[in-house]
Amino acid sequence: MHEVSIALGMIEELMRIGRENNAKKITHVKLRIGRMSGIVTDSLIFAFDAVKLEHPLLSSAVISIEEVPLVYECNKCNKKFEIENFTFPSCPFCGSFGLKIISGEEQHIEKVEVEV
Amino acid sequence: MCDTCGCSHEHNHKETKTIDLNQSLLKSNEEAAASNRKHFDEEGIFAINLISSPGSGKTTLLEKTIDALKEKINIGVLEGDIETELDAERIRKKGVPAVQITTGGACHLDSLLVHKAFHSLEHQLNGRKLDILFIENVGNLVCPSFFDLGEHLRVVLISVPEGHDKPVKYPKAIRTSQVLVISKTDLLPHFDFDMEKIKKDALSLNPSLTIFEVSAKTGDGMQEWIEFFKKHLLSHE
Ligand SMILES: Nc1nc2c(ncn2[C@@H]2O[C@H](COP(=O)(O)OP(=O)(O)O)[C@@H](O)[C@H]2O)c(=O)[nH]1
Ligand SMILES: [Mg+2]
Ligand SMILES: [Zn+2]
């Protein structure tokens, strides 16, 4: 359950950001989570919602999550493509197995909205 | 009453602001990891984070690695477990300083825990310098892969009895490691373990992965593993 630790770290960071910006309240937190990040978004939100109540600055904050698809780039023909199943991917354009992941592993806080 | 203008009715003076961050969700751990790494670099220490499921053979591999290296190289160990001092005691029996980190439930180490434990390890050293620091993570193939500890090298173990399908089931552990050790190879005759498949899957997830096949029990493959460390230490100096 790394989501609990991640939520706790995120809350600490949000409190710091809130104070730095003299926020009265943090109302909205927008995350970008890749399909292959390994973060279970429901667990993350569950942990966040449980702990946020202890902090007035955060108690009404709502999380929204943009899920980022898994995108590969072919090392041979340089084309990019989205893929659902990461086991044995090959390039749909040229068949090559030499691929690299260019997105889908994100674990980011993109922005927060605050009341000042 | 409205706080902002002092008038007697409730109305909207709310001013909102959007703050663009675009930062890692694990920023605080990553910052502490960077400071650990800087400290290790200043001390000339090569730090290795060992991750695997419980029982894949991390402590046993460490014991054998210590036997092979301790004459020439100063080794220190941090042992992560949820409970007990058992693994640190196993390492101390080898004559190597070890500090046990008990997380009391957490399924992974983080860089603050490592920072604190490293300072208590330094107390045991009485000024002696380390060449290598091994950090054995809590047995778990999922959570530790999220937490940079400030290591220079992440090694993931998968033992033969666990099965060859583990890389595709635990892609993050493979993606974030530089070395895969396939352990307990002495057990291959007893399992339907497809060595070619596990290597192919692991390399398809992480093309720059270095793979070792090791039996800590028979010593098979230990030579290559040890040589790899000697080479890394030389290039790290
Ligand atoms: N057959 C065999 N057993 C091993 C080998 N390495 C470790 N073991 C056994 O696997 C069990 C777990 O090992 P341990 O090193 O404590 O695993 P850890 O939980 O990853 O630290 C112990 O009973 C070891 O004796 C090996 O190379 N071959
Ligand atoms: Mg152990
Ligand atoms: Zn292609």
Side-chain angles (χ1 to χ4, degrees):
Chain A
M1 277 297 285
H2 47 278
E3 286 84 2
V4 176
S5 315
I6 294 175
L8 292 174
M10 174 168 92
I11 281 173
E12 218 174 276
E13 180 64 9
L14 289 173
M15 300 285 287
R16 190 189 65 74
I17 289 161
R19 282 191 300 265
E20 222 170 57
N21 288 277
N22 294 317
K24 290 202 187 96
K25 257 182 183 172
I26 293 181
T27 51
H28 191 184
V29 181
K30 183 149 183 266
L31 308 181
R32 273 169 65 80
I33 307 283
R35 222 186 67 67
M36 214 173 85
S37 68
I39 294 175
V40 180
T41 53
D42 285 349
S43 306
L44 184 68
I45 292 176
F46 182 81
F48 180 82
D49 285 347
V51 183
K52 74 179 184 185
L53 301 174
E54 294 167 17
H55 306 283
L57 189 63
L58 276 175
S59 56
S60 53
V62 174
I63 291 193
S64 68
I65 294 182
E66 179 194 347
E67 283 205 32
V68 185
L70 183 56
V71 178
Y72 280 87
E73 184 180 292
C74 175
N75 293 335
K76 203 163 156 198
C77 70
N78 297 321
K79 291 210 168 83
K80 298 185 175 104
F81 54 94
E82 228 178 84
I83 210 162
E84 271 301 308
N85 185 353
F86 61 83
T87 56
F88 300 121
S90 63
C91 175
F93 303 101
C94 75
S96 165
F97 287 97
L99 310 172
K100 60 173 173 285
I101 293 177
I102 57 169
S103 77
E105 296 186 298
E106 291 78 359
Q107 39 191 29
H108 281 110
I109 307 185
E110 193 175 315
K111 54 187 168 198
V112 298
E113 269 166 33
V114 300
E115 271 174 26
V116 287
Chain B
M1 195 175 86
C2 164
D3 292 340
T4 313
C5 66
C7 66
S8 59
H9 58 280
E10 209 55 64
H11 60 166
N12 241 347
H13 283 288
K14 282 178 197 160
E15 212 185 305
T16 62
K17 181 164 119 181
T18 302
I19 305 161
D20 284 317
L21 295 169
N22 208 13
Q23 68 185 40
S24 168
L25 263 174
L26 287 110
K27 183 168 176 249
S28 54
N29 184 69
E30 282 156 14
E31 283 172 353
S35 118
N36 286 353
R37 192 173 291 112
K38 183 162 171 275
H39 185 69
F40 298 148
D41 285 339
E42 282 162 2
E43 300 280 318
I45 297 169
F46 185 58
I48 298 126
N49 179 4
L50 284 174
I51 68 172
S52 83
S53 300
S56 303
K58 296 182 293 303
T59 313
T60 310
L61 183 67
L62 265 181
E63 290 170 318
K64 301 289 168 156
T65 306
I66 289 167
D67 285 341
L69 290 175
K70 79 171 171 195
E71 295 305 324
K72 299 185 196 84
I73 289 166
N74 287 320
I75 302 174
V77 178
L78 304 180
E79 279 290 344
D81 269 304
I82 291 177
E83 291 294 345
T84 81
E85 279 269 332
L86 292 171
D87 280 2
E89 278 160 19
R90 279 170 68 181
I91 299 299
R92 283 186 210 116
K93 277 207 185 106
K94 296 276 167 195
V96 161
V99 167
Q100 183 75 47
I101 307 171
T102 47
T103 64
C107 46
H108 58 85
L109 296 179
D110 62 41
S111 16
L112 280 181
L113 286 171
V114 166
H115 172 92
K116 279 187 225 148
F118 184 72
H119 282 307
S120 44
L121 186 70
E122 277 179 325
H123 279 295
Q124 289 186 29
L125 293 173
N126 295 320
R128 203 158 51 96
K129 293 279 180 200
L130 291 182
D131 302 307
I132 294 194
L133 176 70
F134 283 106
I135 306 165
E136 178 178 336
N137 219 308
V138 179
N140 181 320
L141 207 44
V142 182
C143 310
S145 56
F146 284 84
F147 295 86
D148 185 0
L149 305 179
E151 72 267 24
H152 299 99
L153 192 74
R154 187 174 296 178
V155 177
V156 55
L157 274 77
I158 296 174
S159 65
V160 165
E162 291 168 65
H164 54 243
D165 59 357
K166 292 302 165 290
V168 292
K169 287 191 175 169
Y170 300 92
K172 189 151 184 142
I174 299 292
R175 291 277 298 161
T176 61
S177 296
Q178 292 78 45
V179 173
L180 165 64
V181 172
I182 300 165
S183 60
K184 308 193 189 181
T185 53
D186 57 288
L187 297 175
L188 278 169
H190 308 284
F191 290 87
D192 292 325
F193 187 91
D194 189 337
M195 188 61 84
E196 288 317 304
K197 175 151 174 58
I198 188 173
K199 288 193 199 168
K200 197 171 150 218
D201 286 353
L203 287 171
S204 127
L205 282 163
N206 183 353
S208 58
L209 198 66
T210 304
I211 303 178
F212 293 97
E213 297 169 40
V214 174
S215 166
K217 189 185 167 103
T218 64
D220 251 13
M222 279 301 290
Q223 184 77 27
E224 288 86 345
W225 163 254
I226 295 297
E227 287 304 321
F228 173 81
F229 272 107
K230 288 188 179 157
K231 237 193 292 166
H232 248 285
L233 278 178
L234 286 177
S235 67
H236 196 70
E237 263 160 19

